[in-house]
Amino acid sequence: MDNRGLEKLDQLLLKYGNDDSILSASELDGYFAAIVSGPRQIDPGIWYPHIWAEQLPKWANDKEGERFTKLAVELMSEAAYMLGEEPDDYEAIFLADDNGMGEKLIVSQWCAGYLRGAQVAGWIDAELPETQQTALANITLHGSEEGVDALNAMSDEQYDASVATVEPAALALYDYWQQHLEPVLPVRRDEAKVGRNDPCSCGSGKKYKQCCMRS
């Protein structure tokens, strides 16, 4: 995804978000990285509302909602492809803080999004081997409030070294879960099935067959 797409995601997330929702493309990229890394496929009807902390946006017009959905699915697909097919070239979307003394990577938003995604995907509390536990701990350090004191106590060199572990951690967790995928089983639907011509549950304003049914 190019910078224009990322900037548009930033704008829409900020415009329609709330105090508890995802508010940047960096955070959304982390969220999707965790979603696609898990042991089971997550339906858009589940992951989409959690972007907004269950407070779905009231789009100004259909075009705006469609634009967001298209960009979000593109970002998610790109994360899945790079993690699975091009791991050597995988790059998370981190922020950069140029403080006048060189560019410093800021990974807190990406990591917070990753933890949200792991929660939504249902594997954040799973029992993991030591290597993967350490990987998740490295991400948690930067993405949770509990890690703030430890990060503040680090020197610049220690911080940079810690940041350098985040992308390898994401790759390690992806690889682990790909080896432990859950079988896809038919599920009996208790709720009413969404029809092809019904409004899509993601809130885009489009019909289901023209939106998330395609993803």
Side-chain angles (χ1 to χ4, degrees):
M1 178 176 290
D2 59 21
N3 287 335
R4 289 182 61 186
L6 295 174
E7 289 173 1
K8 187 62 177 179
L9 279 173
D10 277 334
Q11 292 170 5
L12 293 173
L13 288 166
L14 284 171
K15 181 178 180 181
Y16 291 100
N18 56 76
D19 289 343
D20 298 316
S21 68
I22 290 175
L23 293 173
S24 72
S26 176
E27 190 175 357
L28 188 63
D29 183 57
Y31 178 74
F32 284 144
I35 293 285
V36 303
S37 294
R40 64 188 69 87
Q41 184 174 345
I42 306 300
D43 188 88
I46 296 176
W47 61 251
Y48 183 90
H50 284 282
I51 292 175
W52 311 102
E54 304 290 350
Q55 301 179 43
L56 295 181
K58 296 180 180 179
W59 301 107
N61 52 66
D62 290 347
K63 184 178 180 180
E64 205 167 43
E66 291 168 9
R67 176 67 168 153
F68 176 83
T69 300
K70 180 180 179 180
L71 288 172
V73 170
E74 180 182 342
L75 186 65
M76 186 179 191
S77 299
E78 187 173 297
Y81 176 79
M82 295 305 295
L83 284 165
E85 304 297 329
E86 301 287 346
D88 291 342
D89 295 323
Y90 173 69
E91 291 185 355
I93 299 175
F94 296 149
L95 302 178
D97 177 25
D98 189 351
N99 59 9
M101 300 179 63
E103 196 173 81
K104 187 182 184 72
L105 289 177
I106 306 299
V107 302
S108 57
Q109 291 187 30
W110 188 94
C111 291
Y114 190 94
L115 296 178
R116 183 191 295 247
Q119 182 72 48
V120 170
W123 62 264
I124 195 167
D125 294 322
E127 293 186 12
L128 296 169
E130 184 177 354
T131 297
Q132 284 71 34
Q133 285 182 5
T134 299
L136 185 57
N138 290 340
I139 294 174
T140 302
L141 174 66
H142 289 272
S144 68
E145 293 183 2
E146 289 75 12
V148 171
D149 289 341
L151 291 173
N152 287 338
M154 290 181 179
S155 65
D156 287 345
E157 291 76 14
Q158 290 172 326
Y159 176 83
D160 291 342
S162 182
V163 165
T165 68
V166 173
E167 286 170 336
L171 288 165
L173 288 161
Y174 178 88
D175 288 343
Y176 173 79
W177 284 121
Q178 292 308 295
Q179 297 173 35
H180 297 81
L181 293 176
E182 295 182 359
V184 178
L185 300 175
V187 177
R188 180 174 63 85
R189 293 178 177 268
D190 294 323
E191 72 279 4
K193 183 178 180 181
V194 178
R196 290 168 54 85
N197 293 309
D198 291 340
C200 189
S201 60
C202 77
S204 67
K206 299 178 68 175
K207 293 181 179 180
Y208 178 60
K209 68 181 180 181
Q210 297 170 330
C211 193
C212 289
M213 180 178 174
R214 296 180 174 181
S215 60

